[in-house]
Amino acid sequence: MRLIPIGIATLAATLTAGGAHAGTWVIDPSHTNVQFAVKHMVISTVRGHLGKVSGTLNLNEQDVTGSTIEATIDANGIDTRDAKRDQHLREPDFLDTAKYPTITFKSKKIVKVANDRYTVLGDLTLRGVTKEVTLEVEGSPNPLKDPFGNNKIGGVAKTRLNRKDFGVNFSKVMDNGGLVVGNDVDVIIDVELVQQAVAVR
């Protein structure tokens, strides 16, 4: 069984936070996860996740839709709980991580749908191919302080990608015409960000 994750990045553009808390927010890799799901032989779904996520949200104080987010995902960290399959996914048939070790996302436009919901359009780069993708984002409406006094915000971003858009074409056709590896990849990004302290001059 083979599958292709497309993390997209993340990006969990959880640019949800309240406008009073402007500035730079950094993705907390310990509490951020990129998961994916793809059909196997049309009859079941294989799920897994990618590696460490890093990135920055520059939050616009007056207008959240003017914020930007960039994220980088470690493609080598792919894990589907099957070492042999994971190794194949790192090879040129799929992610080709020796040549393209990371997946990146850079936002281009943010549209507010509701108080805690946004549509984020941005460029996802996978295997050296850059395509515009749309993330549906839901996030916490206000920052919270963690036990250490850090301001935190978080949320979840979802999208569906076609792996062939990024040049990942490997698969096999079964006797009934179905694909061993589905083309559509569902991606869920759970993200948490911490506000960077403002330097005192």
Side-chain angles (χ1 to χ4, degrees):
M1 177 172 56
R2 307 283 193 268
L3 68 108
I4 166 69
I6 299 187
I8 135 219
T10 161
L11 335 176
T14 114
L15 358 100
T16 79
H21 297 263
T24 301
W25 298 73
V26 176
I27 291 175
D28 179 352
S30 296
H31 298 98
T32 298
N33 184 44
V34 179
Q35 305 170 66
F36 61 88
V38 63
K39 284 291 186 182
H40 176 242
M41 296 178 61
V42 191
I43 60 174
S44 64
T45 299
V46 172
R47 304 179 191 277
H49 60 81
L50 292 173
K52 182 178 178 180
V53 183
S54 61
T56 303
L57 162 66
N58 290 306
L59 182 64
N60 184 305
E61 181 177 357
Q62 284 73 38
D63 181 6
V64 175
T65 63
S67 305
T68 60
I69 186 167
E70 295 186 21
T72 299
I73 303 169
D74 173 20
N76 272 304
I78 186 169
D79 183 3
T80 65
R81 298 180 299 175
D82 184 303
K84 184 176 181 180
R85 177 172 59 209
D86 294 344
Q87 182 55 42
H88 189 197
L89 291 171
R90 296 184 185 102
E91 295 173 355
D93 281 342
F94 292 98
L95 295 178
D96 196 3
T97 60
K99 186 180 294 185
Y100 308 105
T102 61
I103 298 167
T104 62
F105 177 84
K106 184 175 183 179
S107 67
K108 295 164 59 176
K109 182 180 180 181
I110 300 167
V111 178
K112 184 174 182 178
V113 178
N115 287 336
D116 62 347
R117 295 177 184 273
Y118 297 82
T119 296
V120 180
L121 280 72
D123 287 332
L124 174 67
T125 301
L126 171 69
R127 280 180 53 107
V129 178
T130 300
K131 295 287 185 180
E132 185 177 271
V133 300
T134 300
L135 303 177
E136 300 301 329
V137 179
E138 180 177 356
S140 58
N142 294 294
L144 298 173
K145 281 192 180 297
D146 69 13
F148 306 101
N150 300 304
N151 285 327
K152 292 286 191 75
I153 56 176
V156 58
K158 299 178 181 180
T159 192
R160 170 171 284 187
L161 308 172
N162 187 321
R163 64 189 178 91
K164 299 183 75 173
D165 289 343
F166 297 88
V168 184
N169 299 312
F170 179 87
S171 190
K172 294 181 179 179
V173 179
M174 299 181 297
D175 292 341
N176 65 2
L179 295 176
V180 172
V181 182
N183 290 328
D184 290 332
V185 181
D186 289 320
V187 180
I188 300 177
I189 306 154
D190 292 296
V191 65
E192 189 171 303
L193 300 98
V194 59
Q195 187 177 31
Q196 292 293 93
V198 178
V200 177
R201 295 177 180 273

